[in-house]
Amino acid sequence: DDRATLNNVIFEENEASADGGAVWVRGIMQITNSQFTMNSAVEEGGAIQILGNNVVAVEDGTFSGNSAADGGAIWATRYSGAPENHLTNVTFTDNEATGNGGGMLITNGSATLTDVRFELNEANNGGGLYNTIDDLELDQVIFEGNSAITAGGGLYNSGSPALVYVAFNSNQAAAGGGMTNPNGSPTLDSVTFYDNNGLGGGGLAVGGGAPALTNVTFAANFTFAGGAVFVDGGTPTFNNTTFSGNSLDALFSNNGSTTISNSILWDNGVEVDVTGGAVTIVDTIVQGGCPAGASCTNLVDSSPALQPLADNGGPTLTHALLPGSPAIDRATNCTYDDDMDGLTPEVPVRKDQRGLVRFGGAACDVGAFEDEAVPVPAVGWALRGFAALGVLALARCSALRATTA
C-alpha cells in the first residue's frame, strides 16, 4: 500500500547522482530513532527527497554532514492538498547546500516542525531552513550557528508560516543574519533573536510582505544597518517587542511602512534610523524620544529597567522588568486572539513571550515580558470560560487595589 516504516536505522555515506542521497520517498514513510550521516546528492536532498503526493514523518532523528545542491539534508516539494510532512524532535547539524536550504528546503505543500534544532548548517540562502510555503508551523524550533552567504542565516522565508517559541541564536548572513523575509506574511509569536549578525539586518531583514511580530525580543544583534531589523519594503508590525543591546542601531528603515506599538527600544546604538519609508511608533518606550523622520504618539523616554537576557520561564529567553519599571501597566489595546475561554463571544486574553497571561495589574506591560503575569489555567475545555472570567476578575481586583492604594 506504498507505506514504509523505518526504525533504528543508520544511513551513512550514501550517494545519489541526482536526488535523495539516502532515501527517495515515493509513498508514505514513517522514520523513527534513525540517523542520516554524510549522505549526498548531486541535485536535491542530500539525505531525503520528498516529491509529489508523497509524505514523510520523522521522529527522534538526526541529520548531520549531509550535502546537496538544494536541501542539504531534506528537500520537500509536494502537490497542493497532499498530507503534510511532520518532523518532531529532530536535529540538523553541519549540513550544507551550495544553493538553498542547508538543513532543509520546503517549496510546496504543508509541514509542521516541532522541537527541531538547526545548528551549524550552511547554504547560499537559508543556512538552516529555506521556505516558500504558507502552510508551515514552527513550534519550539532553534536556529543556532547557521550561516548563509547571501540571505537568511537561520531562515529564508518567502511564505506565510507561523513561528511560535522559536529562537534565532548566533546565525549570520549578508542580509538577515537570523531571518530574511523578501516576501510573504509570517507571524512570529514568542520569538527571540540573540547575537545574530550580518551586513543588513543582524536579526531580521524585511524586503516585502507583512511580517507580524508579537512578544518578540531582539537582543545583542549586530550589523552596519539594522542591528536588530532592516526594513527595505513591505509593512512589518512589531507589537509588545523588546529591542535592547543591538548595534549599530535597532531598526533601520530604508523603504516600506513599519509600525511599532506597545514596545521597548532602549540601550541600542541608535534606536531607529529612518532614511526612507515610513515608521510609526505608538505607546512605546524609546530612548531619546521620537526618532527623526518617524511619526510618534504617546512615547516615554525613561529607562524601562530591563534585567539581563535570561531564562525567565518559557521556551525562549527574555528581558525581565525590575520593580518600578515604567513599562509596567503602560500598554494599550491589550487583547489577543487566543480562544482559551470556549465562550461566544470570546473573552480576549493576552499572553507574554513566556506564554503567561498578561493580567496582573491595571493594564498590560509594554515589551515582550509581563511583570505580574499569571499561568494559563490548566483546565478542561468545559471549564475554560470560568477560568478566563477568573483571570479577568483577578485583573480587575488588582486594578482596584492600585486605585485605592
Side-chain angles (χ1 to χ4, degrees):
D1 60 356
D2 295 326
R3 295 175 181 265
T5 300
L6 304 176
N7 187 33
N8 293 318
V9 178
I10 297 175
F11 295 87
E12 187 172 9
E13 296 186 357
N14 299 285
E15 299 179 1
S17 59
D19 308 318
V23 176
W24 191 58
V25 178
R26 293 299 179 268
I28 299 174
M29 182 170 288
Q30 173 76 41
I31 303 172
T32 57
N33 299 309
S34 296
Q35 303 174 26
F36 294 79
T37 306
M38 302 294 292
N39 303 286
S40 64
V42 173
E43 297 180 10
E44 300 164 347
I48 299 176
Q49 192 222 39
I50 310 164
L51 179 67
N53 286 321
N54 306 291
V55 62
V56 65
V58 182
E59 184 174 356
D60 302 327
T62 60
F63 295 82
S64 61
N66 303 285
S67 62
D70 292 305
I74 297 178
W75 185 92
T77 184
R78 296 165 46 257
Y79 301 141
S80 178
E84 71 177 17
N85 294 306
H86 287 266
L87 276 68
T88 305
N89 192 26
V90 175
T91 300
F92 295 84
T93 306
D94 287 315
N95 302 286
E96 181 179 1
T98 55
N100 302 322
M104 182 176 185
L105 180 147
I106 308 173
T107 62
N108 205 354
S110 58
T112 298
L113 279 61
T114 305
D115 192 17
V116 173
R117 186 180 185 93
F118 294 90
E119 185 174 10
L120 301 175
N121 303 285
E122 301 178 4
N124 184 48
N125 293 295
L129 172 63
Y130 185 99
N131 171 65
T132 66
I133 69 173
D134 295 337
D135 193 5
L136 171 65
E137 296 182 11
L138 304 183
D139 186 354
Q140 300 185 67
V141 174
I142 297 174
F143 296 90
E144 185 164 334
N146 303 284
S147 61
I149 296 172
T150 303
L155 169 63
Y156 182 103
N157 173 70
S158 59
S160 299
L163 283 67
V164 181
Y165 299 130
V166 174
F168 294 90
N169 303 325
S170 304
N171 304 284
Q172 62 180 347
M179 174 180 174
T180 292
N181 192 84
N183 204 353
S185 301
T187 59
L188 284 72
D189 192 340
S190 301
V191 174
T192 292
F193 291 83
Y194 169 69
D195 189 39
N196 304 283
N197 70 85
L199 297 178
L204 170 66
V206 180
L213 288 78
T214 303
N215 297 327
V216 174
T217 296
F218 290 91
N221 301 285
F222 172 83
T223 189
F224 296 101
V229 180
F230 181 93
V231 181
D232 196 34
T235 57
T237 59
F238 301 86
N239 191 38
N240 282 107
T241 297
T242 299
F243 301 82
S244 183
N246 303 285
S247 60
L248 298 172
D249 45 20
L251 187 142
F252 185 98
S253 173
N254 188 58
N255 203 346
S257 180
T258 301
T259 301
I260 303 171
S261 61
N262 292 332
S263 295
I264 296 173
L265 288 148
W266 200 267
D267 197 26
N268 303 284
V270 173
E271 303 310 320
V272 177
D273 190 351
V274 183
T275 63
V279 176
T280 301
I281 308 176
V282 180
D283 301 323
T284 291
I285 295 177
V286 183
Q287 188 170 11
C290 186
S295 175
C296 304
T297 303
N298 193 27
L299 300 193
V300 174
D301 181 8
S302 182
S303 173
L306 296 173
Q307 296 191 49
L309 191 72
D311 180 359
N312 296 300
T316 52
L317 302 179
T318 53
H319 284 291
L321 302 173
L322 288 170
S325 167
I328 297 172
D329 296 350
R330 188 170 292 276
T332 60
N333 299 320
C334 188
T335 59
Y336 192 65
D337 186 17
D338 183 5
D339 191 9
M340 67 168 285
D341 53 276
L343 301 176
T344 303
E346 290 185 4
V347 177
V349 176
R350 189 180 190 98
K351 295 183 291 185
D352 75 352
Q353 184 171 333
R354 299 165 297 166
L356 302 182
V357 177
R358 285 184 178 270
F359 281 113
C364 297
D365 303 344
V366 299
F369 181 92
E370 183 74 13
D371 181 62
E372 298 182 51
V374 296
V376 176
V379 295
W381 180 258
L383 298 179
R384 287 187 177 183
F386 296 103
L389 291 175
V391 170
L392 292 176
L394 173 61
R396 290 167 182 159
C397 289
S398 298
L400 180 59
R401 287 197 301 270
T403 303
T404 57

